[in-house]
Amino acid sequence: MNLVWHVSILVLYIGIFSEGASRPDVVNVGAIFTFSTINGKVSRIAMKAAEDDINSDPSILGGTKLSILMHDSNFSGFLGIIGALKYMETDTVAIIGPQNSVMAHVLSHLVNELHVPSLSFTALDPTLSPLQYPYFVQTAPNDEFQMTAIADMISYFRWGEIVAVYSDDDQSRNGITALGDKLAERRCKITYKAALPPDPTATQSDIKDQLVKVQMMEARVIVLHTYSKTGLLVFEEAQNLGMMDRGYVWIASTWLSTVLDSVSPLPSKTAHSIKGVLTLRPHTPNSTRKSAFMSRWQKLSNNSIGFNPYGLYAYDTVWMIARAVDLLLDQQGTISFSNDSHLNHKGKGTLNLSALSIFDGGKQLLDNILRTNMTGLTGPIQFSPDRSPFRPSYDILNVIETGHRQIGYWSNYSGLSVVTPETLYTRPPNRSSSSQQLDGVVWPGGTTEKPRGWVFANNGRQLRIGVPNRVSYQDFVSQSRVNGTDTVQGYCIDVFLAAIKLLPYAVPHRFILFGDGHKNPSYSELVNMITTNVFDAVVGDIAIVTNRTKTVDFTQPYIESGLVVVAPVRKSNSSAWAFLRPFTPFMWAVTAAFFLIIGTVVWILEHRINDEFRGPPRKQMATILWFSFSTMFFAQRENTVSTLGRVVIIIWLFVVLIINSSYTASLTSILTVQQLSSPITGIDSLVTSNERIGFQVGSFAENYLMEELNIPKSRLVALGSPEEYAVALENRTVAAVVDEQPYIELFLSDHCKFKIRGQEFTKSGWGFAFPRDSPLALDLSTAILTLSENGELLRIHDKWLSRKSCGSQATTDESDELQLESFSGLFLICGAACFLALLIYFCLMLCQFSRHGIPEESDPSRGAGSHSARVRTFLSFADEKEDVYKSKSKRKREEMLSNSRVKEDESKRTQMDSSQQRHDCEISVH
């Protein structure tokens, strides 16, 4: 046992000695940054501090020294490539950087070939895919998460359109592309993209040219995604152009938060130009280690620059590499490089790349980095399967007069919140709109009221509003001359003017008539002029139909409108037999038949037990007729005694009640309401009639009738005015006119010879048309709803359209007659009750007859006559009153019993006489 223990200890010592002996003395890591930038300065200090802390910690790298070699690319992609190649010649195991994504796209091909992992916390282009660039690792959240946060903010404040200003390089351009995708998911969009020359080459002239274009846009929400040098120039120029005043919204990406954290104090000009701006800062949770590092910062930096979160990411990235290298040395024991056969081919005029070698342990080191699971200064560090950092989050900052303040957080876990992400991680994720919260914001111009986010295009140019120049129905839209000035008026115009008065901003506009004034214009052409930028909006009696909604946006409908059929009608002359009209002849016949049936059924049920239903045949027939028809007025005087009879009468009286009520209502309508008739009863009869159909010039009714109802164009007749409607209908040029309800109501107010036939067969409304995604359409919809709720919409309607309309009077025709089908259920119930009552009654009567109705014995020789005798006996039994027949039956049984006893006595006497005679004979013999 002791021998085995000693051998194990010896083997362990030998392994440790061998491992320590094979570890390299120095591990080289390269870093490529522009050290004159804010992030370059902060990262250099933080990486140096991490290098010192690692080399002073014996538990890391087991005595191997970590050496970070710094290379200043100085904004030059060429110098960045030279630095990377230099590192590859010195057996570098990893590269920290580059600082921007333009260099990252280039260097990623190099590190892929030489298997040297490249880690960056500032090159955050979301298109740097791990599938294409497997050796490139982003150690901070990439810009896709930042753009998601900005999109959530825009959606939270209910802005629909934004302008993007960005540097025209890979990182900024691809970030804005990601922002567009995230906005689209929230039904928002980027309406204009202003590209600036790549940082730091943008000049004030370049920036001014783009900002002047931005000023001409409707959107006033501007997202600025660039770098610190260009970004500050943008705000200074925006200040000069008045774009930092009330009404504007500026959202800057994380570059501004690095300026706020690292540059203190800001120049007064810069501080004044960024007031009211919102920006993001990578969120790092508070911890003891973070506080300790921040307390060291002043000494580490010699007060040369302030601290920002990218310093924490730089520090953690160095530690991430150190731990991965330490694990690699534990796994392989050594670090080795080999020549790349692809790079050893030399020839005339070719580069000597034989000095570059492949890192043999690069794949293993990359895997170790991706499996990192540690807690750093930035919080928990690990990578998801898509290589994104664990739970990305941001602080949301608002720049104010005295500096900046935090108004909330954004996390990929629960969106916007005023609670720290660490607190939310302990709860179930909640992305509901009610859970999204931010504190109050001080906007540009010093206002705390949320800006609308848009203005009218071209910096306040009047809206060009197209208005149909109607020649008919001018109550809706018409042109008039007031004080020598042409004006537009009408119901639709008054609704529009009342709606814009409710908006919290002015709407400069001018009405432009569309049409030649000789006939109504085509409304489809008028609406299409919005898409060709001839008009900014269309106001009038514009029907909201499917084809139009595909090209423009409509407001909430301000009046209901649907297609109806109008046809000539004739008066029905009064008749002496008008009282018969409520029911159809068949209904009258069935009702009369049921009166007789009910009388007969009740007579059958009551005849044997009720004296009131007995007597001579003529009297009984009169009783049946009187009783049945008197139930119509509930005036029957005969009482019902049997239970079955009472059940039948109760059901019948209910049926009579319903029939009486229906008859009374229908007759009242017939005698008090004007009776009209027409062969056209609605759109169905019109379509199948093959008659010609009139429609209003310019209306969508023409296309609807042809495309939806498949009516040939040859059957359609265009009519231009109400007068033409009337003439065409009177002369039978058309059988009916199809038009929208509001027009028809006005037409019928002056033409009472025509009526609406059938029901409205389409459901739609009138609205105001605007370009797609116009914010004014949404605001006007809200205003129209307000007009509806406060009664103003009804007042405007009464002002222009309220007339005494004969078309609104109720009318009836032959179709108003009450049909048998309406009462078939009642008659069926009543008939079933009668049948069941009779069935039960006859069953009971047969039972009684079998017990009490036995006929007198007859001579068997009669044969077939006995059957007819039985039938006559049964009919006699059914006709006689039940009490009388029971009495006769009782007397008959008593007589039969008496006769039986007499016969029995005679038999006994005969037997006694016979016995006596035999006795006498016996005595004589003896």
Side-chain angles (χ1 to χ4, degrees):
M1 185 70 177
N2 290 334
L3 179 61
V4 173
W5 183 80
H6 284 299
V7 170
S8 300
I9 293 297
L10 179 62
V11 170
L12 180 61
Y13 279 143
I14 292 172
I16 294 175
F17 177 77
S18 300
E19 181 181 340
S22 62
R23 282 182 173 242
D25 294 331
V26 178
V27 173
N28 294 324
V29 174
I32 304 174
F33 282 86
T34 296
F35 293 122
S36 60
T37 63
I38 293 175
N39 283 341
K41 294 175 182 178
V42 171
S43 300
R44 184 172 191 173
I45 297 170
M47 288 188 291
K48 179 62 177 172
E51 178 186 10
D52 294 341
D53 292 346
I54 290 169
N55 289 331
S56 62
D57 187 346
S59 64
I60 301 296
L61 296 178
T64 298
K65 181 181 178 182
L66 178 70
S67 176
I68 299 181
L69 308 175
M70 306 283 185
H71 177 78
D72 188 358
S73 61
N74 194 26
F75 296 104
S76 172
F78 175 74
L79 293 179
I81 295 174
I82 295 300
L85 291 173
K86 183 177 68 174
Y87 290 147
M88 300 306 175
E89 295 178 353
T90 57
D91 294 344
T92 300
V93 299
I95 294 177
I96 301 175
Q99 186 171 342
N100 62 67
S101 297
V102 177
M103 281 295 303
H105 281 277
V106 177
L107 294 185
S108 292
H109 293 285
L110 180 61
V111 298
N112 284 353
E113 182 67 26
L114 300 179
H115 297 180
V116 176
S118 174
L119 290 77
S120 179
F121 47 86
T122 54
L124 302 176
D125 182 354
T127 66
L128 285 166
S129 166
L131 297 177
Q132 185 178 6
Y133 307 112
Y135 281 85
F136 180 80
V137 180
Q138 293 170 328
T139 59
N142 69 39
D143 282 349
E144 180 177 0
F145 298 106
Q146 181 179 192
M147 296 305 150
T148 304
I150 293 175
D152 279 346
M153 292 167 61
I154 292 169
S155 176
Y156 171 78
F157 289 113
R158 299 186 183 277
W159 295 314
E161 298 178 352
I162 72 161
V163 171
V165 181
Y166 61 97
S167 293
D168 196 12
D169 59 24
D170 289 348
Q171 179 159 332
S172 298
R173 183 170 52 251
N174 293 332
I176 293 300
T177 300
L179 175 61
D181 294 339
K182 297 302 178 182
L183 288 173
E185 294 173 3
R186 292 154 180 80
R187 302 190 68 179
C188 306
K189 68 176 183 177
I190 301 173
T191 57
Y192 182 73
K193 296 180 181 180
L196 303 174
D199 189 77
T201 62
T203 64
Q204 284 189 329
S205 177
D206 297 328
I207 293 171
K208 182 177 180 180
D209 291 342
Q210 290 297 328
L211 291 184
V212 168
K213 295 177 182 178
V214 171
Q215 268 190 312
M216 305 301 289
M217 300 295 110
E218 289 186 1
R220 284 294 183 262
V221 180
I222 304 171
V223 174
L224 180 57
H225 187 41
T226 181
Y227 305 93
S228 57
K229 184 177 184 299
T230 300
L232 294 178
L233 284 176
V234 169
F235 282 124
E236 289 179 10
E237 195 58 41
Q239 179 74 24
N240 296 334
L241 294 173
M243 298 176 68
M244 300 304 298
D245 296 335
R246 291 171 65 103
Y248 281 90
V249 176
W250 287 85
I251 301 175
S253 53
T254 54
W255 67 266
L256 182 56
S257 66
T258 63
V259 174
L260 297 173
D261 290 334
S262 299
V263 181
S264 181
L266 284 173
S268 59
K269 184 178 180 180
T270 301
H272 184 67
S273 69
I274 61 176
K275 286 191 300 184
V277 178
L278 298 178
T279 186
L280 301 174
R281 175 173 63 194
H283 174 75
T284 54
N286 294 325
S287 65
T288 304
R289 290 185 60 199
K290 175 183 172 181
S291 300
F293 183 79
M294 292 177 65
S295 64
R296 294 169 52 195
W297 185 259
Q298 187 174 357
K299 181 179 179 181
L300 292 172
S301 63
N302 292 322
N303 292 324
S304 61
I305 192 168
F307 172 81
N308 72 53
Y310 289 102
L312 301 178
Y313 283 106
Y315 185 91
D316 284 348
T317 300
V318 176
W319 272 90
M320 198 183 307
I321 294 173
R323 290 181 180 275
V325 170
D326 186 49
L327 181 59
L328 176 67
L329 293 175
D330 289 342
Q331 293 167 337
Q332 297 184 357
T334 185
I335 292 177
S336 62
F337 294 84
S338 59
N339 293 330
D340 187 350
S341 59
H342 297 92
L343 302 177
N344 289 334
H345 299 290
K346 294 182 180 180
K348 185 176 181 180
T350 61
L351 295 174
N352 183 13
L353 301 178
S354 59
L356 303 179
S357 55
I358 295 177
F359 177 27
D360 296 331
K363 181 63 171 64
Q364 187 62 51
L365 179 62
L366 176 64
D367 292 341
N368 292 345
I369 291 171
L370 296 177
R371 287 198 298 268
T372 297
N373 189 357
M374 58 180 263
T375 300
L377 301 185
T378 58
I381 300 174
Q382 54 183 312
F383 295 95
S384 62
D386 64 353
R387 294 194 184 182
S388 61
F390 180 66
R391 288 179 174 173
S393 55
Y394 293 90
D395 301 332
I396 302 175
L397 309 179
N398 180 208
V399 182
I400 57 176
E401 186 77 30
T402 58
H404 64 274
R405 67 188 184 95
Q406 187 164 330
I407 63 170
Y409 305 88
W410 178 90
S411 68
N412 197 41
Y413 185 75
S414 290
L416 300 173
S417 173
V418 294
V419 180
T420 61
E422 291 73 41
T423 302
L424 296 176
Y425 295 151
T426 62
R427 307 172 187 172
N430 186 358
R431 283 278 189 166
S432 64
S433 58
S434 60
S435 69
Q436 306 298 293
Q437 295 180 349
L438 290 176
D439 288 334
V441 179
V442 179
W443 304 100
T447 180
T448 56
E449 182 181 355
K450 181 185 77 101
R452 186 171 75 245
W454 64 275
V455 295
F456 298 106
N458 294 340
N459 202 21
R461 172 180 60 81
Q462 286 187 332
L463 284 181
R464 300 162 299 171
I465 299 179
V467 176
N469 188 9
R470 295 194 59 89
V471 296
S472 62
Y473 296 116
Q474 295 189 347
D475 300 82
F476 298 105
V477 179
S478 64
Q479 183 182 15
S480 63
R481 194 169 186 82
V482 180
N483 297 328
T485 304
D486 291 334
T487 61
V488 179
Q489 62 180 8
Y491 169 72
C492 303
I493 302 301
D494 279 6
V495 172
F496 176 76
L497 294 177
I500 62 175
K501 286 180 181 178
L502 296 178
L503 301 181
Y505 49 87
V507 182
H509 63 276
R510 59 190 176 98
F511 295 117
I512 303 173
L513 290 173
F514 173 75
D516 57 13
H518 300 294
K519 64 177 181 179
N520 293 333
S522 169
Y523 279 53
S524 296
E525 291 181 11
L526 175 59
V527 171
N528 287 336
M529 286 190 171
I530 294 178
T531 62
T532 58
N533 202 32
V534 175
F535 295 129
D536 300 313
V538 170
V539 169
D541 44 341
I542 313 298
I544 304 173
V545 295
T546 303
N547 289 338
R548 296 171 186 172
T549 58
K550 294 176 181 178
T551 57
V552 299
D553 280 350
F554 283 92
T555 62
Q556 173 80 15
Y558 58 87
I559 187 174
E560 291 184 357
S561 172
L563 294 178
V564 294
V565 176
V566 173
V569 292
R570 61 178 178 83
K571 288 186 178 181
S572 297
N573 295 326
S574 181
S575 169
W577 304 99
F579 67 90
L580 296 176
R581 290 182 59 188
F583 291 161
T584 61
F586 188 51
M587 176 66 182
W588 278 116
V590 172
T591 304
F594 257 86
F595 273 108
L596 296 176
I597 291 172
I598 293 299
T600 303
V601 169
V602 172
W603 177 82
I604 293 173
L605 297 176
E606 296 289 326
H607 176 67
R608 300 188 67 243
I609 60 176
N610 192 339
D611 291 335
E612 294 181 354
F613 288 86
R614 299 185 61 80
R618 181 178 298 178
K619 178 184 177 182
Q620 293 187 49
M621 183 62 67
T623 300
I624 291 174
L625 294 175
W626 164 256
F627 179 83
S628 59
F629 287 102
S630 64
T631 57
M632 180 186 300
F633 311 103
F634 306 99
Q636 67 278 9
R637 62 187 181 187
E638 291 81 8
N639 294 321
T640 52
V641 177
S642 67
T643 302
L644 293 175
R646 289 174 177 175
V647 171
V648 171
I649 286 297
I650 288 174
I651 295 175
W652 174 242
L653 289 179
F654 176 74
V655 174
V656 169
L657 176 65
I658 300 301
I659 293 175
N660 277 344
S661 301
S662 303
Y663 176 85
T664 303
S666 180
L667 183 61
T668 301
S669 174
I670 290 173
L671 297 179
T672 58
V673 179
Q674 186 181 31
Q675 301 300 298
L676 305 171
S677 62
S678 169
I680 303 299
T681 59
I683 187 62
D684 293 333
S685 62
L686 182 61
V687 171
T688 58
S689 67
N690 292 324
E691 298 279 355
R692 292 165 68 86
I693 304 170
F695 67 91
Q696 184 181 174
V697 173
S699 171
F700 78 95
E702 179 183 13
N703 288 336
Y704 182 87
L705 293 173
M706 289 192 300
E707 296 175 4
E708 301 297 330
L709 301 182
N710 298 319
I711 297 176
K713 189 173 183 179
S714 58
R715 288 182 57 191
L716 303 181
V717 178
L719 303 172
S721 67
E723 292 72 21
E724 292 186 20
Y725 285 14
V727 171
L729 290 170
E730 288 176 352
N731 296 339
R732 300 299 297 170
T733 304
V734 296
V737 171
V738 173
D739 206 350
E740 295 176 73
Q741 180 89 27
Y743 300 127
I744 296 304
E745 288 178 352
L746 282 183
F747 171 72
L748 295 181
S749 66
D750 297 324
H751 300 84
C752 296
K753 298 179 180 178
F754 315 105
K755 299 296 173 187
I756 295 175
R757 309 301 294 167
Q759 301 297 320
E760 202 175 48
F761 59 91
T762 66
K763 292 291 184 181
S764 61
W766 290 352
F768 307 132
F770 290 89
R772 296 300 297 268
D773 301 320
S774 171
L776 186 57
L778 180 61
D779 289 349
L780 273 179
S781 293
T782 304
I784 289 171
L785 288 174
T786 303
L787 291 175
S788 177
E789 292 169 358
N790 63 22
E792 182 66 14
L793 200 59
L794 180 60
R795 188 194 66 79
I796 298 173
H797 179 277
D798 292 342
K799 172 186 174 183
W800 289 97
L801 308 179
S802 180
R803 300 183 185 178
K804 186 177 181 181
S805 174
C806 53
S808 62
Q809 298 174 1
T811 62
T812 62
D813 54 26
E814 289 81 359
S815 63
D816 295 321
E817 291 181 341
L818 298 177
Q819 306 290 327
L820 177 63
E821 289 77 5
S822 304
F823 303 92
S824 58
L826 292 174
F827 285 129
L828 180 63
I829 293 173
C830 189
C834 292
F835 175 75
L836 290 175
L838 290 176
L839 181 64
I840 294 172
Y841 174 76
F842 280 116
C843 289
L844 293 175
M845 192 167 61
L846 287 173
C847 291
Q848 292 177 359
F849 178 72
S850 64
R851 291 198 306 266
H852 307 292
I854 302 174
E856 295 181 357
E857 294 183 3
S858 57
D859 189 356
S861 61
R862 293 180 182 179
S866 63
H867 176 69
S868 59
R870 285 182 175 273
V871 172
R872 287 194 299 272
T873 303
F874 176 76
L875 293 177
S876 175
F877 172 79
D879 181 61
E880 284 190 347
K881 190 176 181 182
E882 186 175 348
D883 294 342
V884 174
Y885 202 90
K886 287 182 178 179
S887 176
K888 288 183 177 181
S889 178
K890 183 177 180 181
R891 288 198 302 271
K892 183 177 181 180
R893 286 197 299 271
E894 289 177 350
E895 290 177 357
M896 291 177 64
L897 182 60
S898 176
N899 292 333
S900 175
R901 289 177 178 174
V902 170
K903 289 180 179 181
E904 184 178 353
D905 291 341
E906 291 179 351
S907 176
K908 288 182 178 180
R909 284 196 299 269
T910 301
Q911 291 178 358
M912 291 178 63
D913 292 341
S914 176
S915 176
Q916 183 64 37
Q917 289 177 0
R918 284 196 303 271
H919 181 69
D920 292 342
C921 290
E922 290 177 358
I923 293 174
S924 355
V925 171
H926 288 293

